Amino acid sequence: MRDILAQPRPVLLGRLRWVLVVIIVIIAPFVMKELEHLTNFGLITQVNRALIFVALAQGLNIVVGLAGLLDLGYAAFFAIGAYTFGLLTWPTHDIEMSFFLAIWVCALVAALFGIIIGAPTLRLRGDYLAIVTLAFGEIIPSLVRNLGDFTFTYHGKEYIKDYNLTNGSQGLTPLGRPDFSFFERLFGLDHGALNVGVKPTFWYFAIVITSMIVLFAATRLNNSRLGRAWKAIREDETAADFMGVDPIRTKLAAFAIGASFSGLAGAVYASMLGAIFPELFRFQVSIFLLIIVVLSGRGSIWGVLIGGLIIATFDGVFLAQILPDIFNGKILPEYDVQSLRWVFFGSGLIIIMIFRPQGLFPPKSTERKAAPPPPAESTQGVQS
Amino acid sequence: MTTLLEARGVSKAFGRLIAVDTLDYTIDNNSINSIIGPNGAGKTTFFNVVTGYYKPTTGKVLFNQHNISGSRPNQLTRIGIARTFQTIRLFNNLTSLENILIGMHHRLKASVFGDIFKPPPVRREEARAHEEAFQLLEYVGLKGYEEHTAKFLPYGHQRRLEIARALATQPKLLLLDEPTAGMNPNETQDMILFIRKLRDERDLSILLIEHDMKVVMTISDKVTVLDYGKKIAEGRPSEVQKDERVIEAYLGRRALEMLKK
């Protein structure tokens, strides 16, 4: 019956490949640590940042790549995740929730905001949606900036006066970190022995696990009832409606799940940095994530993983560290090479759009199937 | 025979243009019904009213005795109305199999969490859906094309895939908008046989818009002629063919007079 699914696959090789990937992922931080003294920047820190961007891009890939909704304000959900974590763990607010609980609350809150923002706007299509999300991406950081001194008056009566919710543009610091004191007591270690602080190697593993959770959810969804509905909406919203897919609910689900990914990533990021401020979630972050998704290949989960790693490392290591070193040393001592950052990405985008509009690592279905299969009659014997 | 669909005084106006004008129409269970008429007669508009894309300006549509006017297309698909399009509207970058599985969307029950964690019930449901999709593709003669991307299929295959996708929703009423458009006589003959087969083997009624008179006259149980949004004739194919108003609408008054002489 299912001859395509039953095709012989090199199972052993497939398994071995995964074992290899796991080994590389585990060894990588230690190798990088050894390499670090060769450079004057934190290599692992840069990889951590790249992995956070991969997790964020996976969420955006669901919205843009799978459901085909152009979201120009995606960093807003990143901000919501990070700030929810900030509010839950900033000592001044006296909540100080555990890291392990808070990250899930952040994912949930971001998803909730995805629905709140999506409900009124997802009736719009194409460009209109892009404009609304663009505005939303501007509103959130500006809201955060202004909620540092918050007064609420209603009919002349002051209900809240000068309340400091987000600490304005100074940002929130310090923030909660994972607490392993339970294990310290369990294994009879000294107090603070498992204190992770800013150790890049610990955060490397924390972020790898976060990315893996996101990646797992994304691959499973890609190949599921909901994932198919997203792709149907992307391909032809009207036809999807006629085939029994509710466009509004399906798009809301894309917004909510995409947002929850960035809520989770934002929380982990906030905890790693130990400090967050509105400037971290500017419009450029939305655009950078969009560039990752478009350059890598819209709708391709593995493409976005690999492309995201390459682009974010290129940005963090080559553009931000190596290039200034080369230029500022001899050639152009006065010039700020970092200002060329967007020139690189802009031209990259133009080149890709001309020569490979589907992206560097597009999903399989955009490639042409070679020869047509044999006519139905010839396979009749295999049947029944 | 019982009535499956009933339109009572349905009108649809776009500004001052009345595309469908107080139309009464019924479809019996297990029948093939054709709507014909010159270009701009309101055939496709009526389709769009029946499938929920337009809300009728006046009148109402009953499906199995339930008022469905004002329902969204996806809600109507759930209760058993499916359609194909005049110009093919497949999910182009998806495979044939995925196209069919999307047609089954409303019959599958997996939630978001089911989709992510894939517990055994969801796995079983997916396996059943794939099985059914494979059978459906074979039924329409697309066996072996399961993993082919829809946009790379030959035209005739795309037409059949579109019908298969509509069948995947398990319709009680299947609306086909010019299914033989752009087909050669052989392909058209195959389509005629296929539409008959659908009515006989699957418990459904078919509503057809068609320009090819050979198709209409061969397979229809009932033919309805629209002109300027109004019904000008209705009946068995042989009756409609002789109707004076139909000849006038299609060929003009002079032709009618010449025929009479």
Side-chain angles (χ1 to χ4, degrees):
Chain A
M1 175 78 221
R2 288 197 242 144
D3 22 58
I4 280 152
L5 300 183
Q7 266 173 7
R9 287 181 62 199
V11 178
L12 193 66
L13 197 74
R15 291 259 168 82
L16 263 176
R17 198 175 54 195
W18 286 114
V19 173
L20 209 67
V21 168
V22 170
I23 291 172
I24 290 173
V25 167
I26 292 174
I27 292 177
F30 302 106
V31 175
M32 285 190 285
K33 212 172 179 179
E34 291 306 308
L35 288 175
E36 228 152 52
H37 68 271
L38 298 174
T39 56
N40 58 353
F41 57 89
L43 187 59
I44 301 180
T45 314
Q46 290 303 332
V47 170
N48 286 351
R49 179 178 163 277
L51 279 168
I52 284 283
F53 274 104
V54 164
L56 290 167
Q58 289 296 347
L60 186 62
N61 185 43
I62 284 185
V63 179
V64 176
L66 294 184
L69 308 163
L70 184 53
D71 185 348
L72 293 180
Y74 184 70
F77 297 120
F78 184 26
I80 287 166
Y83 264 90
T84 307
F85 187 82
L87 298 181
L88 290 174
T89 65
W90 192 36
T92 316
H93 279 317
D94 287 331
I95 303 173
E96 298 199 60
M97 191 184 272
S98 153
F99 171 86
F100 299 101
L101 180 62
I103 53 171
W104 301 111
V105 175
C106 294
L108 213 66
V109 169
L112 206 67
F113 267 89
I115 292 171
I116 292 169
I117 303 310
T121 55
L122 285 174
R123 279 158 217 285
L124 305 171
R125 289 189 187 189
D127 306 347
Y128 302 102
L129 180 68
I131 290 166
V132 173
T133 54
L134 177 68
F136 174 59
E138 290 301 305
I139 288 169
I140 293 295
S142 132
L143 203 62
V144 164
R145 254 192 299 275
N146 289 301
L147 283 179
D149 181 11
F150 175 53
T151 306
F152 182 71
T153 348
Y154 185 73
H155 281 289
K157 195 178 170 206
E158 266 182 3
Y159 287 87
I160 303 165
K161 188 168 161 48
D162 299 333
Y163 185 65
N164 183 0
L165 186 69
T166 60
N167 209 18
S169 50
Q170 287 147 24
L172 301 175
T173 187
L175 299 179
R177 290 232 156 87
D179 181 12
F180 293 105
S181 54
F182 172 76
F183 291 98
E184 284 169 3
R185 264 175 276 132
L186 192 70
F187 298 115
L189 296 165
D190 296 338
H191 180 70
L194 292 176
N195 193 1
V196 295
V198 288
K199 279 178 202 155
T201 324
F202 166 79
W203 284 106
Y204 171 82
F205 285 111
I207 293 169
V208 163
I209 291 168
T210 311
S211 309
M212 266 162 47
I213 293 169
V214 166
L215 213 60
F216 172 79
T219 39
R220 282 293 181 83
L221 283 168
N222 186 30
N223 224 333
S224 71
R225 175 176 180 266
L226 185 58
R228 288 190 298 262
W230 284 335
K231 289 183 246 181
I233 294 283
R234 175 191 71 196
E235 295 293 316
D236 188 334
E237 188 174 330
T238 307
D241 196 358
F242 280 113
M243 292 307 130
V245 177
D246 186 335
I248 301 288
R249 285 183 62 158
T250 309
K251 291 198 277 187
L252 270 182
F255 248 55
I257 290 169
S260 74
F261 284 12
S262 79
L264 185 65
V268 175
Y269 188 60
S271 180
M272 180 179 79
L273 292 184
I276 45 170
F277 36 93
E279 283 305 295
L280 282 174
F281 311 101
R282 281 166 308 171
F283 175 61
Q284 279 91 327
V285 178
S286 300
I287 293 301
F288 184 62
L289 288 167
L290 198 61
I291 284 174
I292 290 178
V293 171
V294 172
L295 283 182
S296 309
R298 274 158 293 172
S300 161
I301 288 157
W302 295 102
V304 169
L305 168 68
I306 296 164
L309 274 178
I310 295 172
I311 295 166
T313 323
F314 174 80
D315 178 51
V317 175
F318 183 74
L319 288 187
Q321 309 286 347
I322 297 177
L323 207 59
D325 281 358
I326 298 171
F327 272 82
N328 293 2
K330 303 172 186 94
I331 310 165
L332 290 165
E334 301 291 300
Y335 190 68
D336 179 16
V337 189
Q338 270 265 273
S339 63
L340 287 177
R341 188 180 175 211
W342 294 102
V343 175
F344 274 96
F345 289 121
S347 33
L349 214 51
I350 292 171
I351 292 167
I352 287 284
M353 283 303 113
I354 293 172
F355 294 105
R356 206 175 157 81
Q358 71 273 41
L360 290 172
F361 316 101
K364 274 198 200 97
S365 60
T366 50
E367 285 152 21
R368 184 168 190 141
K369 281 271 180 262
E377 288 80 22
S378 63
T379 49
Q380 215 85 83
V382 190
Q383 182 64 28
S384 85
Chain B
M1 259 189 207
T2 50
T3 306
L4 180 65
L5 181 110
E6 189 181 353
R8 285 189 194 155
V10 166
S11 298
K12 175 67 197 172
F14 299 99
R16 288 169 68 189
L17 175 82
I18 296 161
V20 175
D21 196 354
T22 49
L23 189 67
D24 292 313
Y25 192 76
T26 57
I27 293 173
D28 292 332
N29 272 321
N30 246 310
S31 60
I32 298 179
N33 308 270
S34 297
I35 296 184
I36 61 171
N39 287 328
K43 306 182 294 287
T44 299
T45 306
F46 181 62
F47 253 51
N48 284 332
V49 170
V50 170
T51 52
Y53 191 64
Y54 296 140
K55 194 174 189 253
T57 314
T58 60
K60 59 182 175 180
V61 184
L62 303 175
F63 184 75
N64 276 333
Q65 273 83 51
H66 294 290
N67 188 359
I68 59 165
S69 25
S71 300
R72 298 291 311 147
N74 65 75
Q75 295 169 324
L76 297 183
T77 310
R78 256 162 247 184
I79 60 168
I81 298 179
R83 70 171 293 177
T84 64
F85 300 88
Q86 195 170 349
T87 48
I88 297 174
R89 292 183 83 157
L90 287 167
F91 304 121
N92 273 328
N93 289 311
L94 306 185
T95 63
S96 309
L97 186 66
E98 285 174 305
N99 269 277
I100 304 290
L101 288 170
I102 289 162
M104 295 178 184
H105 180 83
H106 68 99
R107 291 194 280 132
L108 304 178
K109 293 184 179 66
S111 66
V112 179
F113 296 102
D115 280 340
I116 294 175
F117 297 108
K118 298 233 190 303
V122 173
R123 280 177 195 278
R124 280 198 294 274
E125 184 186 70
E126 280 288 298
R128 268 201 307 274
H130 277 72
E131 198 93 345
E132 199 187 323
F134 273 80
Q135 281 166 7
L136 206 52
L137 282 167
E138 195 183 346
Y139 184 75
V140 299
L142 289 174
K143 188 181 165 65
Y145 288 92
E146 292 85 1
E147 295 298 317
H148 278 235
T149 307
K151 67 177 170 190
F152 296 133
L153 288 175
Y155 179 80
H157 288 32
Q158 290 189 351
R159 279 267 174 225
R160 276 186 277 170
L161 179 58
E162 213 190 14
I163 294 176
R165 185 181 65 175
L167 289 176
T169 68
Q170 283 193 340
K172 290 269 161 228
L173 175 63
L174 176 63
L175 296 94
L176 304 173
D177 199 342
E178 295 192 31
T180 67
M183 285 188 170
N184 68 32
N186 284 336
E187 290 170 328
T188 304
Q189 189 57 36
D190 285 349
M191 186 55 79
I192 290 174
L193 295 175
F194 180 67
I195 293 171
R196 273 221 184 101
K197 189 170 121 175
L198 282 182
R199 178 197 53 187
D200 297 340
E201 293 180 1
R202 304 190 158 241
D203 178 28
L204 52 79
S205 294
I206 289 164
L207 177 59
L208 201 67
I209 290 180
E210 187 53 72
H211 279 301
D212 189 330
M213 285 304 138
K214 186 168 161 271
V215 177
V216 173
M217 298 306 162
T218 323
I219 59 174
S220 308
D221 297 313
K222 182 173 86 176
V223 178
T224 306
V225 190
L226 294 188
D227 194 21
Y228 294 108
K230 283 202 166 79
K231 182 154 81 180
I232 58 171
E234 186 169 75
R236 304 172 61 79
S238 50
E239 297 164 12
V240 170
Q241 265 173 320
K242 292 182 201 117
D243 193 290
E244 287 186 2
R245 290 176 65 190
V246 176
I247 298 168
E248 191 189 320
Y250 266 89
L251 302 173
R253 190 173 291 265
R254 302 258 317 263
L256 183 67
E257 282 159 8
M258 278 167 71
L259 274 172
K260 274 185 179 169
K261 279 176 196 167

